[in-house]
Structures are given as structure tokens and as C-alpha cells.
Amino acid sequence: MSSAEYEELTRELAAVGSRLDRLEMDVRGLRGEAPAPPPGPATYTVQAGDTLSGIAQKLGLGGWQALYDANRATIGGDPNVIKPGQVLVLP
């Protein structure tokens, strides 16, 4: 497995884990159970070639604007400029 394939698989697994956490909270809510406290904010590390819209789509976040709003201090004033290695908090 190449390093690019490994990185892609790691990103996909993180996205699946994040979605499963949200689904578990939804199921608990439907059952009337108190939701488990979240373990901490879910994050995503920017990779070369990433865009906010691409990250949002890949992780099922619905749109880049919420991702940008949650990370404005990290990204800066231009949402079109993100850098590999930046760690973004997922909304």
C-alpha cells in the first residue's frame, strides 16, 4: 500500500468514525436516552490538494461555510487558502 493510499484510507476511516458517533447520538436521542458526552472535538488534518468544499463533501458535513466558520482563526481571512498540516475542528 502506498503512502497516498494509506493517507486516503486514514481520512476515510476518520470520516466514518465521525459519522458513526453522530448516528449513535441520534439513536440515543430517539430512545430518549441521555447522549454520551462527546470525547472531544473531531478534527481533520489538511492534506495537499484539499479544499474546504472537498473536505466538507468527503466528511458529509453539508457545506464548506460551517467548516470555515469553525476554523476561521486557523485558516485566516481567505477560505480558499488552506495549508497541508493545518488541523481543522469539525463542526
Side-chain angles (χ1 to χ4, degrees):
M1 175 181 292
S2 72
S3 63
E5 290 170 324
Y6 177 80
E7 290 174 9
E8 178 64 23
L9 182 57
T10 301
R11 286 193 299 269
E12 289 176 14
L13 287 173
V16 168
S18 180
R19 283 187 227 137
L20 285 174
D21 289 343
R22 284 187 234 139
L23 284 172
E24 180 182 351
M25 289 174 48
D26 289 347
V27 167
R28 286 176 182 257
L30 290 171
R31 289 182 180 160
E33 300 172 2
T43 61
Y44 176 85
T45 302
V46 176
Q47 305 295 311
D50 277 343
T51 63
L52 289 181
S53 60
I55 295 167
Q57 182 178 16
K58 184 178 353 185
L59 301 180
L61 300 177
W64 66 269
Q65 294 88 348
L67 185 58
Y68 177 61
D69 290 341
N71 294 281
R72 192 178 300 258
T74 301
I75 296 169
D78 187 348
N80 293 311
V81 179
I82 57 174
K83 299 176 183 113
Q86 287 178 317
V87 178
L88 305 180
V89 175
L90 302 180

